[in-house]
Amino acid sequence: MTDLDADDPLAHLRDHFVGTDSDLVYLDGNSLGRPLRVTGERLRAFVEQEWGGRLIRGWDESWFLMPEVVGDEIGRVCLGAAPGQTVVGDSTTVLLYKAMRAAVALRPGRTEIVVDRDNFPTDRYVADGVARECGLTLRWIDVDTSAGVTAELLAEAVGEQTALVVLSHVAYRSAWLADVPALTQLAHDAGAVVLWDLSHSVGSVPMALDAWDVDLAVGCTYKYLNGGPGAPAFVYVAERLLDEVTQPVQGWMGATDPFLMGPTYAPAGGVRRMLSGTPPVVGMLGLQDMLALIDEVGMDAVRAKSVALTEHAIATSADLLPDTTLASPRDAERRGGHVTINHPLMREATAELWRRDVIPDYRDPHGLRLGLSPLSTSFAEVTRGLETVREVLDGLTP
Ligand SMILES: *Cc1c(COP(=O)(O)O)cnc(C)c1O
């Protein structure tokens, strides 16, 4: 162990995760978090007792309300959101679609959706589809791919034509950490609605959605919330919008009384109206374990470890990999939980790193993305990973 691990008050939590006793270096927890050991037990118990034992009675006993119960827990532990505004539902992409349609419906007569060119592909594609469906135009913000959307850039893009602004809290490529309250205020000053994508920040960066006056937000649970592959996403709708908000997939589970099986759709009161079909109960099991662990230590401690890990990755890269360039913000206050370093041979290097059980991610152009999941990553793991990057790059350069 390096001194950093010895001094890390959260170091012992690494043992709670499956696979951390092996030599594999995992630097992609921002794409898929490692499972917690207790999740294995929770899944088995669910199959044997709840699903196998309670059978269809499970819906009345707890499953029906799980989207709201787990949503409130995400809100409390991670989002700074009071209960009744967050619900767990479909995939991130589908919830982005529903939230974008909900947002533009709140601003009839306005003609534009503002989105940045370096936003995550699914955000850009869904915004494009929603614009086409609703007869709106996209207004693109050009950004530096080593940074992200600033107040200056947003101020130039919004105006009285703007219905909706779609932004990511942490940029998936550079890790740029957007100033949510400032950008939200700018959009509001122009009369627009803002939708924040929290996929790369929830469980890594503390937030205060209620205090920041956020309108709508969507986030992923299989990254820093360790819910497992394809775990369902969540949507947040500010309480002040709940009576007005409508969404396009009017399914029975988002209706007033699903079991009345009535002739027409009437939206449920509250955030439940964002739901459409039967809740993904099994998919909500794993993330509850991670929420409990984060709750134990608190998001501020998680963030402190995250900052220390990214600082360590940047310093070690500068030391061992002077031939790479940092493609993430150097200022920790503007940086989320990952670090991207560029080198012309990174695509080839990543393939070789995976063969050697060192698992970062690759992002064009030439970026090695080091995702440092705060509770499951050790400082020594980061060092070992970057030492291997050095060996691999040396092997590739004649
Ligand atoms: C990971 C991620 C998504 C994922 O969307 P899925 O529908 O779960 O595939 C969306 N947006 C951002 C910003 C992401 O980082």
Side-chain angles (χ1 to χ4, degrees), residues 68 72 81-87 102 106 210 214-217 235-247 254 265-275:
E68 290 151 272
D72 282 347
Q85 305 173 99
T86 311
V87 77
L106 291 169
D210 290 349
V214 165
D215 302 309
L216 295 153
V235 60
Y236 163 94
V237 181
E239 187 172 14
R240 64 193 146 76
L241 299 174
L242 281 174
D243 289 339
E244 291 176 76
V245 91
T246 57
Q247 56 96 352
Y265 170 85
V271 71
R272 196 169 176 97
R273 65 177 53 191
M274 294 304 286
L275 296 184

PDB file of all heavy atoms in Angstrom, residues 68 72 81-87 102 106 210 214-217 235-247 254 265-275:
ATOM      1  N   GLU A  68     -40.803   4.735  -6.300  1.00  0.00           N
ATOM      2  CA  GLU A  68     -40.818   5.950  -5.482  1.00  0.00           C
ATOM      3  C   GLU A  68     -39.919   5.818  -4.259  1.00  0.00           C
ATOM      4  O   GLU A  68     -39.216   6.760  -3.892  1.00  0.00           O
ATOM      5  CB  GLU A  68     -42.249   6.239  -5.020  1.00  0.00           C
ATOM      6  CG  GLU A  68     -43.144   6.695  -6.155  1.00  0.00           C
ATOM      7  CD  GLU A  68     -44.605   6.326  -5.920  1.00  0.00           C
ATOM      8  OE1 GLU A  68     -45.007   5.204  -6.297  1.00  0.00           O
ATOM      9  OE2 GLU A  68     -45.315   7.158  -5.339  1.00  0.00           O
ATOM     10  N   ASP A  72     -36.774   8.166  -3.830  1.00  0.00           N
ATOM     11  CA  ASP A  72     -36.604   9.075  -2.687  1.00  0.00           C
ATOM     12  C   ASP A  72     -35.250   8.864  -2.009  1.00  0.00           C
ATOM     13  O   ASP A  72     -34.625   9.814  -1.528  1.00  0.00           O
ATOM     14  CB  ASP A  72     -37.720   8.850  -1.652  1.00  0.00           C
ATOM     15  CG  ASP A  72     -39.030   9.513  -2.080  1.00  0.00           C
ATOM     16  OD1 ASP A  72     -39.016  10.334  -3.023  1.00  0.00           O
ATOM     17  OD2 ASP A  72     -40.077   9.192  -1.474  1.00  0.00           O
ATOM     18  N   ALA A  81     -32.442  16.184  -2.830  1.00  0.00           N
ATOM     19  CA  ALA A  81     -33.829  16.336  -3.280  1.00  0.00           C
ATOM     20  C   ALA A  81     -34.767  15.837  -2.192  1.00  0.00           C
ATOM     21  O   ALA A  81     -34.603  14.723  -1.690  1.00  0.00           O
ATOM     22  CB  ALA A  81     -34.053  15.544  -4.569  1.00  0.00           C
ATOM     23  N   ALA A  82     -35.752  16.642  -1.854  1.00  0.00           N
ATOM     24  CA  ALA A  82     -36.770  16.219  -0.891  1.00  0.00           C
ATOM     25  C   ALA A  82     -37.598  15.089  -1.504  1.00  0.00           C
ATOM     26  O   ALA A  82     -37.639  14.935  -2.732  1.00  0.00           O
ATOM     27  CB  ALA A  82     -37.655  17.413  -0.536  1.00  0.00           C
ATOM     28  N   PRO A  83     -38.272  14.291  -0.664  1.00  0.00           N
ATOM     29  CA  PRO A  83     -39.057  13.162  -1.183  1.00  0.00           C
ATOM     30  C   PRO A  83     -40.161  13.616  -2.144  1.00  0.00           C
ATOM     31  O   PRO A  83     -40.582  14.769  -2.120  1.00  0.00           O
ATOM     32  CB  PRO A  83     -39.685  12.545   0.064  1.00  0.00           C
ATOM     33  CG  PRO A  83     -38.967  13.115   1.229  1.00  0.00           C
ATOM     34  CD  PRO A  83     -38.320  14.384   0.800  1.00  0.00           C
ATOM     35  N   GLY A  84     -40.579  12.658  -2.985  1.00  0.00           N
ATOM     36  CA  GLY A  84     -41.716  12.915  -3.858  1.00  0.00           C
ATOM     37  C   GLY A  84     -41.369  13.545  -5.196  1.00  0.00           C
ATOM     38  O   GLY A  84     -42.253  13.960  -5.931  1.00  0.00           O
ATOM     39  N   GLN A  85     -40.067  13.625  -5.518  1.00  0.00           N
ATOM     40  CA  GLN A  85     -39.680  14.265  -6.777  1.00  0.00           C
ATOM     41  C   GLN A  85     -38.849  13.356  -7.675  1.00  0.00           C
ATOM     42  O   GLN A  85     -38.518  13.732  -8.796  1.00  0.00           O
ATOM     43  CB  GLN A  85     -38.870  15.532  -6.496  1.00  0.00           C
ATOM     44  CG  GLN A  85     -39.562  16.523  -5.585  1.00  0.00           C
ATOM     45  CD  GLN A  85     -38.649  17.685  -5.206  1.00  0.00           C
ATOM     46  OE1 GLN A  85     -38.738  18.748  -5.783  1.00  0.00           O
ATOM     47  NE2 GLN A  85     -37.756  17.456  -4.276  1.00  0.00           N
ATOM     48  N   THR A  86     -38.472  12.175  -7.163  1.00  0.00           N
ATOM     49  CA  THR A  86     -37.573  11.300  -7.908  1.00  0.00           C
ATOM     50  C   THR A  86     -38.210   9.923  -8.028  1.00  0.00           C
ATOM     51  O   THR A  86     -38.738   9.393  -7.048  1.00  0.00           O
ATOM     52  CB  THR A  86     -36.211  11.173  -7.186  1.00  0.00           C
ATOM     53  OG1 THR A  86     -35.748  12.477  -6.852  1.00  0.00           O
ATOM     54  CG2 THR A  86     -35.180  10.469  -8.053  1.00  0.00           C
ATOM     55  N   VAL A  87     -38.139   9.353  -9.227  1.00  0.00           N
ATOM     56  CA  VAL A  87     -38.720   8.038  -9.418  1.00  0.00           C
ATOM     57  C   VAL A  87     -37.784   7.227 -10.314  1.00  0.00           C
ATOM     58  O   VAL A  87     -37.118   7.783 -11.183  1.00  0.00           O
ATOM     59  CB  VAL A  87     -40.154   8.196  -9.995  1.00  0.00           C
ATOM     60  CG1 VAL A  87     -40.140   8.526 -11.468  1.00  0.00           C
ATOM     61  CG2 VAL A  87     -41.021   7.024  -9.709  1.00  0.00           C
ATOM     62  N   ALA A 102     -41.449  16.262 -21.846  1.00  0.00           N
ATOM     63  CA  ALA A 102     -42.134  16.962 -20.754  1.00  0.00           C
ATOM     64  C   ALA A 102     -41.698  18.421 -20.713  1.00  0.00           C
ATOM     65  O   ALA A 102     -42.520  19.328 -20.558  1.00  0.00           O
ATOM     66  CB  ALA A 102     -41.822  16.274 -19.420  1.00  0.00           C
ATOM     67  N   LEU A 106     -43.758  22.200 -21.601  1.00  0.00           N
ATOM     68  CA  LEU A 106     -43.931  23.284 -20.621  1.00  0.00           C
ATOM     69  C   LEU A 106     -43.700  24.667 -21.241  1.00  0.00           C
ATOM     70  O   LEU A 106     -43.968  25.689 -20.612  1.00  0.00           O
ATOM     71  CB  LEU A 106     -42.956  23.099 -19.442  1.00  0.00           C
ATOM     72  CG  LEU A 106     -43.209  21.914 -18.506  1.00  0.00           C
ATOM     73  CD1 LEU A 106     -42.014  21.714 -17.567  1.00  0.00           C
ATOM     74  CD2 LEU A 106     -44.480  22.118 -17.686  1.00  0.00           C
ATOM     75  N   ASP A 210     -32.652  20.637  -5.243  1.00  0.00           N
ATOM     76  CA  ASP A 210     -33.718  21.531  -4.763  1.00  0.00           C
ATOM     77  C   ASP A 210     -33.169  22.955  -4.586  1.00  0.00           C
ATOM     78  O   ASP A 210     -33.752  23.919  -5.079  1.00  0.00           O
ATOM     79  CB  ASP A 210     -34.292  21.042  -3.423  1.00  0.00           C
ATOM     80  CG  ASP A 210     -35.109  19.749  -3.577  1.00  0.00           C
ATOM     81  OD1 ASP A 210     -35.408  19.353  -4.727  1.00  0.00           O
ATOM     82  OD2 ASP A 210     -35.444  19.137  -2.537  1.00  0.00           O
ATOM     83  N   VAL A 214     -33.160  23.328  -9.842  1.00  0.00           N
ATOM     84  CA  VAL A 214     -33.183  22.507 -11.064  1.00  0.00           C
ATOM     85  C   VAL A 214     -34.627  22.146 -11.413  1.00  0.00           C
ATOM     86  O   VAL A 214     -35.456  21.953 -10.516  1.00  0.00           O
ATOM     87  CB  VAL A 214     -32.318  21.243 -10.849  1.00  0.00           C
ATOM     88  CG1 VAL A 214     -32.577  20.175 -11.902  1.00  0.00           C
ATOM     89  CG2 VAL A 214     -30.851  21.623 -10.825  1.00  0.00           C
ATOM     90  N   ASP A 215     -34.939  22.083 -12.720  1.00  0.00           N
ATOM     91  CA  ASP A 215     -36.293  21.719 -13.152  1.00  0.00           C
ATOM     92  C   ASP A 215     -36.431  20.202 -13.252  1.00  0.00           C
ATOM     93  O   ASP A 215     -37.280  19.592 -12.607  1.00  0.00           O
ATOM     94  CB  ASP A 215     -36.589  22.328 -14.526  1.00  0.00           C
ATOM     95  CG  ASP A 215     -36.450  23.838 -14.521  1.00  0.00           C
ATOM     96  OD1 ASP A 215     -37.048  24.470 -13.645  1.00  0.00           O
ATOM     97  OD2 ASP A 215     -35.733  24.377 -15.388  1.00  0.00           O
ATOM     98  N   LEU A 216     -35.609  19.632 -14.140  1.00  0.00           N
ATOM     99  CA  LEU A 216     -35.693  18.195 -14.422  1.00  0.00           C
ATOM    100  C   LEU A 216     -34.281  17.621 -14.468  1.00  0.00           C
ATOM    101  O   LEU A 216     -33.344  18.311 -14.876  1.00  0.00           O
ATOM    102  CB  LEU A 216     -36.330  17.966 -15.798  1.00  0.00           C
ATOM    103  CG  LEU A 216     -37.783  18.385 -15.981  1.00  0.00           C
ATOM    104  CD1 LEU A 216     -38.052  18.724 -17.440  1.00  0.00           C
ATOM    105  CD2 LEU A 216     -38.712  17.264 -15.544  1.00  0.00           C
ATOM    106  N   ALA A 217     -34.149  16.372 -14.070  1.00  0.00           N
ATOM    107  CA  ALA A 217     -32.848  15.714 -14.157  1.00  0.00           C
ATOM    108  C   ALA A 217     -33.068  14.222 -14.363  1.00  0.00           C
ATOM    109  O   ALA A 217     -34.100  13.671 -13.959  1.00  0.00           O
ATOM    110  CB  ALA A 217     -32.039  15.953 -12.884  1.00  0.00           C
ATOM    111  N   VAL A 235     -35.520   9.662 -12.708  1.00  0.00           N
ATOM    112  CA  VAL A 235     -35.835  11.014 -13.172  1.00  0.00           C
ATOM    113  C   VAL A 235     -36.268  11.847 -11.975  1.00  0.00           C
ATOM    114  O   VAL A 235     -36.953  11.338 -11.070  1.00  0.00           O
ATOM    115  CB  VAL A 235     -36.906  10.994 -14.294  1.00  0.00           C
ATOM    116  CG1 VAL A 235     -38.219  10.366 -13.847  1.00  0.00           C
ATOM    117  CG2 VAL A 235     -37.184  12.408 -14.840  1.00  0.00           C
ATOM    118  N   TYR A 236     -35.839  13.095 -11.951  1.00  0.00           N
ATOM    119  CA  TYR A 236     -36.226  14.066 -10.917  1.00  0.00           C
ATOM    120  C   TYR A 236     -37.055  15.157 -11.584  1.00  0.00           C
ATOM    121  O   TYR A 236     -36.671  15.670 -12.641  1.00  0.00           O
ATOM    122  CB  TYR A 236     -34.953  14.659 -10.307  1.00  0.00           C
ATOM    123  CG  TYR A 236     -35.134  15.959  -9.524  1.00  0.00           C
ATOM    124  CD1 TYR A 236     -35.314  15.952  -8.143  1.00  0.00           C
ATOM    125  CD2 TYR A 236     -35.090  17.197 -10.173  1.00  0.00           C
ATOM    126  CE1 TYR A 236     -35.467  17.143  -7.434  1.00  0.00           C
ATOM    127  CE2 TYR A 236     -35.238  18.401  -9.470  1.00  0.00           C
ATOM    128  CZ  TYR A 236     -35.423  18.369  -8.106  1.00  0.00           C
ATOM    129  OH  TYR A 236     -35.568  19.542  -7.399  1.00  0.00           O
ATOM    130  N   VAL A 237     -38.186  15.469 -10.981  1.00  0.00           N
ATOM    131  CA  VAL A 237     -39.001  16.600 -11.452  1.00  0.00           C
ATOM    132  C   VAL A 237     -39.239  17.491 -10.237  1.00  0.00           C
ATOM    133  O   VAL A 237     -39.759  17.017  -9.212  1.00  0.00           O
ATOM    134  CB  VAL A 237     -40.364  16.129 -12.018  1.00  0.00           C
ATOM    135  CG1 VAL A 237     -41.180  17.327 -12.521  1.00  0.00           C
ATOM    136  CG2 VAL A 237     -40.181  15.103 -13.137  1.00  0.00           C
ATOM    137  N   ALA A 238     -38.872  18.764 -10.339  1.00  0.00           N
ATOM    138  CA  ALA A 238     -39.048  19.683  -9.206  1.00  0.00           C
ATOM    139  C   ALA A 238     -40.519  19.735  -8.814  1.00  0.00           C
ATOM    140  O   ALA A 238     -41.402  19.762  -9.677  1.00  0.00           O
ATOM    141  CB  ALA A 238     -38.549  21.075  -9.579  1.00  0.00           C
ATOM    142  N   GLU A 239     -40.748  19.777  -7.529  1.00  0.00           N
ATOM    143  CA  GLU A 239     -42.115  19.741  -7.007  1.00  0.00           C
ATOM    144  C   GLU A 239     -43.012  20.795  -7.655  1.00  0.00           C
ATOM    145  O   GLU A 239     -44.170  20.530  -7.976  1.00  0.00           O
ATOM    146  CB  GLU A 239     -42.074  19.931  -5.486  1.00  0.00           C
ATOM    147  CG  GLU A 239     -43.429  19.729  -4.855  1.00  0.00           C
ATOM    148  CD  GLU A 239     -43.396  19.722  -3.333  1.00  0.00           C
ATOM    149  OE1 GLU A 239     -42.362  20.131  -2.758  1.00  0.00           O
ATOM    150  OE2 GLU A 239     -44.406  19.317  -2.746  1.00  0.00           O
ATOM    151  N   ARG A 240     -42.440  22.001  -7.885  1.00  0.00           N
ATOM    152  CA  ARG A 240     -43.254  23.098  -8.436  1.00  0.00           C
ATOM    153  C   ARG A 240     -43.786  22.791  -9.837  1.00  0.00           C
ATOM    154  O   ARG A 240     -44.681  23.477 -10.325  1.00  0.00           O
ATOM    155  CB  ARG A 240     -42.443  24.413  -8.419  1.00  0.00           C
ATOM    156  CG  ARG A 240     -41.226  24.380  -9.310  1.00  0.00           C
ATOM    157  CD  ARG A 240     -40.248  25.548  -9.055  1.00  0.00           C
ATOM    158  NE  ARG A 240     -38.879  25.117  -9.259  1.00  0.00           N
ATOM    159  CZ  ARG A 240     -38.327  24.924 -10.460  1.00  0.00           C
ATOM    160  NH1 ARG A 240     -39.008  25.158 -11.549  1.00  0.00           N
ATOM    161  NH2 ARG A 240     -37.085  24.495 -10.555  1.00  0.00           N
ATOM    162  N   LEU A 241     -43.197  21.759 -10.513  1.00  0.00           N
ATOM    163  CA  LEU A 241     -43.643  21.433 -11.873  1.00  0.00           C
ATOM    164  C   LEU A 241     -44.556  20.208 -11.916  1.00  0.00           C
ATOM    165  O   LEU A 241     -45.099  19.869 -12.972  1.00  0.00           O
ATOM    166  CB  LEU A 241     -42.426  21.157 -12.772  1.00  0.00           C
ATOM    167  CG  LEU A 241     -41.433  22.307 -12.950  1.00  0.00           C
ATOM    168  CD1 LEU A 241     -40.221  21.838 -13.748  1.00  0.00           C
ATOM    169  CD2 LEU A 241     -42.112  23.478 -13.664  1.00  0.00           C
ATOM    170  N   LEU A 242     -44.698  19.539 -10.769  1.00  0.00           N
ATOM    171  CA  LEU A 242     -45.336  18.215 -10.803  1.00  0.00           C
ATOM    172  C   LEU A 242     -46.786  18.216 -11.283  1.00  0.00           C
ATOM    173  O   LEU A 242     -47.214  17.258 -11.929  1.00  0.00           O
ATOM    174  CB  LEU A 242     -45.244  17.549  -9.420  1.00  0.00           C
ATOM    175  CG  LEU A 242     -43.882  16.915  -9.123  1.00  0.00           C
ATOM    176  CD1 LEU A 242     -43.840  16.408  -7.696  1.00  0.00           C
ATOM    177  CD2 LEU A 242     -43.573  15.788 -10.111  1.00  0.00           C
ATOM    178  N   ASP A 243     -47.518  19.262 -11.000  1.00  0.00           N
ATOM    179  CA  ASP A 243     -48.919  19.263 -11.432  1.00  0.00           C
ATOM    180  C   ASP A 243     -49.058  19.487 -12.931  1.00  0.00           C
ATOM    181  O   ASP A 243     -50.020  19.032 -13.549  1.00  0.00           O
ATOM    182  CB  ASP A 243     -49.711  20.360 -10.694  1.00  0.00           C
ATOM    183  CG  ASP A 243     -49.903  20.006  -9.231  1.00  0.00           C
ATOM    184  OD1 ASP A 243     -49.799  18.801  -8.912  1.00  0.00           O
ATOM    185  OD2 ASP A 243     -50.119  20.921  -8.423  1.00  0.00           O
ATOM    186  N   GLU A 244     -48.085  20.210 -13.500  1.00  0.00           N
ATOM    187  CA  GLU A 244     -48.170  20.581 -14.921  1.00  0.00           C
ATOM    188  C   GLU A 244     -47.568  19.545 -15.838  1.00  0.00           C
ATOM    189  O   GLU A 244     -47.882  19.520 -17.031  1.00  0.00           O
ATOM    190  CB  GLU A 244     -47.302  21.815 -15.187  1.00  0.00           C
ATOM    191  CG  GLU A 244     -47.699  23.126 -14.634  1.00  0.00           C
ATOM    192  CD  GLU A 244     -46.584  24.121 -14.980  1.00  0.00           C
ATOM    193  OE1 GLU A 244     -46.500  24.556 -16.145  1.00  0.00           O
ATOM    194  OE2 GLU A 244     -45.773  24.403 -14.074  1.00  0.00           O
ATOM    195  N   VAL A 245     -46.606  18.780 -15.320  1.00  0.00           N
ATOM    196  CA  VAL A 245     -45.753  17.999 -16.211  1.00  0.00           C
ATOM    197  C   VAL A 245     -46.523  16.830 -16.854  1.00  0.00           C
ATOM    198  O   VAL A 245     -47.348  16.177 -16.211  1.00  0.00           O
ATOM    199  CB  VAL A 245     -44.484  17.549 -15.441  1.00  0.00           C
ATOM    200  CG1 VAL A 245     -44.655  16.213 -14.788  1.00  0.00           C
ATOM    201  CG2 VAL A 245     -43.288  17.576 -16.330  1.00  0.00           C
ATOM    202  N   THR A 246     -46.271  16.648 -18.157  1.00  0.00           N
ATOM    203  CA  THR A 246     -46.880  15.527 -18.883  1.00  0.00           C
ATOM    204  C   THR A 246     -45.764  14.801 -19.622  1.00  0.00           C
ATOM    205  O   THR A 246     -44.728  15.394 -19.907  1.00  0.00           O
ATOM    206  CB  THR A 246     -47.885  16.023 -19.948  1.00  0.00           C
ATOM    207  OG1 THR A 246     -47.196  16.912 -20.841  1.00  0.00           O
ATOM    208  CG2 THR A 246     -49.071  16.720 -19.324  1.00  0.00           C
ATOM    209  N   GLN A 247     -45.958  13.546 -19.902  1.00  0.00           N
ATOM    210  CA  GLN A 247     -44.927  12.826 -20.670  1.00  0.00           C
ATOM    211  C   GLN A 247     -45.605  11.931 -21.706  1.00  0.00           C
ATOM    212  O   GLN A 247     -46.791  11.603 -21.559  1.00  0.00           O
ATOM    213  CB  GLN A 247     -43.976  12.078 -19.724  1.00  0.00           C
ATOM    214  CG  GLN A 247     -44.616  11.097 -18.769  1.00  0.00           C
ATOM    215  CD  GLN A 247     -44.587   9.673 -19.300  1.00  0.00           C
ATOM    216  OE1 GLN A 247     -44.227   9.413 -20.443  1.00  0.00           O
ATOM    217  NE2 GLN A 247     -45.022   8.740 -18.466  1.00  0.00           N
ATOM    218  N   GLY A 254     -48.201   4.727 -14.819  1.00  0.00           N
ATOM    219  CA  GLY A 254     -48.089   6.151 -14.487  1.00  0.00           C
ATOM    220  C   GLY A 254     -49.453   6.806 -14.392  1.00  0.00           C
ATOM    221  O   GLY A 254     -49.563   8.029 -14.283  1.00  0.00           O
ATOM    222  N   TYR A 265     -56.613   7.325 -19.961  1.00  0.00           N
ATOM    223  CA  TYR A 265     -55.448   7.656 -19.130  1.00  0.00           C
ATOM    224  C   TYR A 265     -55.667   8.972 -18.389  1.00  0.00           C
ATOM    225  O   TYR A 265     -56.049   9.970 -18.997  1.00  0.00           O
ATOM    226  CB  TYR A 265     -54.224   7.775 -20.034  1.00  0.00           C
ATOM    227  CG  TYR A 265     -52.978   8.335 -19.387  1.00  0.00           C
ATOM    228  CD1 TYR A 265     -52.104   7.504 -18.680  1.00  0.00           C
ATOM    229  CD2 TYR A 265     -52.649   9.694 -19.506  1.00  0.00           C
ATOM    230  CE1 TYR A 265     -50.942   8.012 -18.099  1.00  0.00           C
ATOM    231  CE2 TYR A 265     -51.480  10.208 -18.931  1.00  0.00           C
ATOM    232  CZ  TYR A 265     -50.640   9.367 -18.237  1.00  0.00           C
ATOM    233  OH  TYR A 265     -49.485   9.858 -17.676  1.00  0.00           O
ATOM    234  N   ALA A 266     -55.407   8.944 -17.095  1.00  0.00           N
ATOM    235  CA  ALA A 266     -55.292  10.195 -16.338  1.00  0.00           C
ATOM    236  C   ALA A 266     -54.013  10.062 -15.528  1.00  0.00           C
ATOM    237  O   ALA A 266     -53.807   9.052 -14.855  1.00  0.00           O
ATOM    238  CB  ALA A 266     -56.493  10.375 -15.418  1.00  0.00           C
ATOM    239  N   PRO A 267     -53.114  11.058 -15.622  1.00  0.00           N
ATOM    240  CA  PRO A 267     -51.800  10.915 -14.971  1.00  0.00           C
ATOM    241  C   PRO A 267     -51.915  10.826 -13.453  1.00  0.00           C
ATOM    242  O   PRO A 267     -52.751  11.495 -12.849  1.00  0.00           O
ATOM    243  CB  PRO A 267     -51.049  12.179 -15.395  1.00  0.00           C
ATOM    244  CG  PRO A 267     -52.087  13.156 -15.815  1.00  0.00           C
ATOM    245  CD  PRO A 267     -53.257  12.354 -16.313  1.00  0.00           C
ATOM    246  N   ALA A 268     -51.061   9.971 -12.873  1.00  0.00           N
ATOM    247  CA  ALA A 268     -50.999   9.873 -11.414  1.00  0.00           C
ATOM    248  C   ALA A 268     -50.605  11.224 -10.835  1.00  0.00           C
ATOM    249  O   ALA A 268     -49.923  12.008 -11.493  1.00  0.00           O
ATOM    250  CB  ALA A 268     -49.960   8.824 -11.021  1.00  0.00           C
ATOM    251  N   GLY A 269     -51.012  11.489  -9.610  1.00  0.00           N
ATOM    252  CA  GLY A 269     -50.527  12.681  -8.924  1.00  0.00           C
ATOM    253  C   GLY A 269     -49.059  12.466  -8.594  1.00  0.00           C
ATOM    254  O   GLY A 269     -48.620  11.350  -8.365  1.00  0.00           O
ATOM    255  N   GLY A 270     -48.280  13.531  -8.609  1.00  0.00           N
ATOM    256  CA  GLY A 270     -46.877  13.421  -8.212  1.00  0.00           C
ATOM    257  C   GLY A 270     -45.984  12.831  -9.286  1.00  0.00           C
ATOM    258  O   GLY A 270     -46.392  12.618 -10.425  1.00  0.00           O
ATOM    259  N   VAL A 271     -44.761  12.528  -8.881  1.00  0.00           N
ATOM    260  CA  VAL A 271     -43.715  12.153  -9.837  1.00  0.00           C
ATOM    261  C   VAL A 271     -43.964  10.767 -10.460  1.00  0.00           C
ATOM    262  O   VAL A 271     -43.386  10.408 -11.470  1.00  0.00           O
ATOM    263  CB  VAL A 271     -42.319  12.262  -9.175  1.00  0.00           C
ATOM    264  CG1 VAL A 271     -42.117  11.162  -8.144  1.00  0.00           C
ATOM    265  CG2 VAL A 271     -41.207  12.270 -10.215  1.00  0.00           C
ATOM    266  N   ARG A 272     -44.866  10.003  -9.863  1.00  0.00           N
ATOM    267  CA  ARG A 272     -45.186   8.695 -10.409  1.00  0.00           C
ATOM    268  C   ARG A 272     -45.709   8.781 -11.852  1.00  0.00           C
ATOM    269  O   ARG A 272     -45.624   7.834 -12.622  1.00  0.00           O
ATOM    270  CB  ARG A 272     -46.216   7.999  -9.510  1.00  0.00           C
ATOM    271  CG  ARG A 272     -46.296   6.530  -9.799  1.00  0.00           C
ATOM    272  CD  ARG A 272     -47.082   5.722  -8.804  1.00  0.00           C
ATOM    273  NE  ARG A 272     -47.119   4.371  -9.331  1.00  0.00           N
ATOM    274  CZ  ARG A 272     -46.286   3.399  -8.965  1.00  0.00           C
ATOM    275  NH1 ARG A 272     -45.388   3.599  -8.042  1.00  0.00           N
ATOM    276  NH2 ARG A 272     -46.362   2.217  -9.537  1.00  0.00           N
ATOM    277  N   ARG A 273     -46.224   9.939 -12.216  1.00  0.00           N
ATOM    278  CA  ARG A 273     -46.716  10.120 -13.594  1.00  0.00           C
ATOM    279  C   ARG A 273     -45.609   9.995 -14.642  1.00  0.00           C
ATOM    280  O   ARG A 273     -45.899   9.891 -15.828  1.00  0.00           O
ATOM    281  CB  ARG A 273     -47.447  11.455 -13.737  1.00  0.00           C
ATOM    282  CG  ARG A 273     -46.544  12.668 -13.550  1.00  0.00           C
ATOM    283  CD  ARG A 273     -47.287  13.971 -13.771  1.00  0.00           C
ATOM    284  NE  ARG A 273     -48.492  14.066 -12.952  1.00  0.00           N
ATOM    285  CZ  ARG A 273     -49.435  14.996 -13.098  1.00  0.00           C
ATOM    286  NH1 ARG A 273     -49.310  15.918 -14.034  1.00  0.00           N
ATOM    287  NH2 ARG A 273     -50.481  15.026 -12.316  1.00  0.00           N
ATOM    288  N   MET A 274     -44.356  10.048 -14.205  1.00  0.00           N
ATOM    289  CA  MET A 274     -43.260   9.861 -15.164  1.00  0.00           C
ATOM    290  C   MET A 274     -43.062   8.385 -15.526  1.00  0.00           C
ATOM    291  O   MET A 274     -42.322   8.051 -16.436  1.00  0.00           O
ATOM    292  CB  MET A 274     -41.952  10.444 -14.626  1.00  0.00           C
ATOM    293  CG  MET A 274     -41.950  11.953 -14.458  1.00  0.00           C
ATOM    294  SD  MET A 274     -42.350  12.870 -15.979  1.00  0.00           S
ATOM    295  CE  MET A 274     -40.835  12.669 -16.932  1.00  0.00           C
ATOM    296  N   LEU A 275     -43.709   7.487 -14.782  1.00  0.00           N
ATOM    297  CA  LEU A 275     -43.592   6.050 -15.081  1.00  0.00           C
ATOM    298  C   LEU A 275     -44.477   5.685 -16.263  1.00  0.00           C
ATOM    299  O   LEU A 275     -45.431   6.397 -16.590  1.00  0.00           O
ATOM    300  CB  LEU A 275     -44.017   5.215 -13.874  1.00  0.00           C
ATOM    301  CG  LEU A 275     -43.178   5.336 -12.597  1.00  0.00           C
ATOM    302  CD1 LEU A 275     -43.692   4.350 -11.546  1.00  0.00           C
ATOM    303  CD2 LEU A 275     -41.706   5.082 -12.882  1.00  0.00           C
TER     304      LEU A 275
END
